[in-house]
Amino acid sequence: MRKLVIAISMLSLAASAAFADPILDRQGLMKERGKLIGGLSKIAKGEADFDAAAVLTALQALQVNAEKVDVDALFPAGSDSGDTTASPKIWQDMAGFKTTNEKYVADVKAAVAAAPADVDALKAQIGTLGNDCGTCHQTYRVKKG
């Protein structure tokens, strides 16, 4: 029993250390997400060659990124001010924000499971993921300058 308590304590410490600065941590995850989506978008637009294995690898990386977003840890009360574009609407409608995030995660998982075999399939998936991103940005992000 004592070992279990120690293990749980260590996991809790690791989890809190993983998100020591929620604003910087969520910004880092979103920048990584943007780069991954950007690379996939270039392929979908024909600006880069379609390679099924590379696309699947990028989608899998996107899934790992999406699954790292722990809304409660990354958007705690009080992390709505400072160097952030997170809208106060997140904290006013946390349930809606979580639902929006959960839809994105589900759509990324579906994209990985469907592993696009050609650029047209990728275009459809990027369209879905882009809509998810747009919905979140329009509702839960403050527009820059």
Side-chain angles (χ1 to χ4, degrees), residues 126-140:
I126 290 298
T128 298
L129 297 177
N131 285 338
D132 290 344
C133 293
T135 296
C136 192
H137 283 203
Q138 289 171 1
T139 308
Y140 299 109

Side-chain angles (χ1 to χ4, degrees), residues 8-113:
I8 291 171
S9 297
M10 294 299 285
L11 285 173
S12 296
L13 180 61
S16 64
F19 297 114
D21 184 337
I23 294 173
L24 290 177
D25 293 334
R26 67 186 184 229
Q27 288 172 343
L29 285 169
M30 293 303 144
K31 285 178 185 174
E32 176 186 41
R33 182 175 294 179
K35 286 180 183 177
L36 290 165
I37 289 283
L40 290 167
S41 293
K42 285 182 179 182
I43 296 167
K45 292 176 187 175
E47 297 170 3
D49 292 334
F50 180 86
D51 174 331
V55 166
L56 180 58
T57 298
L59 287 171
Q60 289 168 333
L62 200 56
Q63 181 177 339
V64 169
N65 171 283
E67 291 174 340
K68 285 181 185 176
V69 175
D70 177 342
V71 171
D72 293 323
L74 289 171
F75 296 88
S79 69
D80 58 340
S81 61
D83 184 20
T84 181
T85 57
S87 170
K89 291 178 186 177
I90 292 171
W91 294 271
Q92 296 164 0
D93 180 23
M94 187 59 76
F97 181 64
K98 286 180 178 180
T99 298
T100 300
N101 183 63
E102 289 165 4
K103 180 181 181 322
Y104 172 78
V105 172
D107 288 341
V108 171
K109 287 180 178 181
V112 170

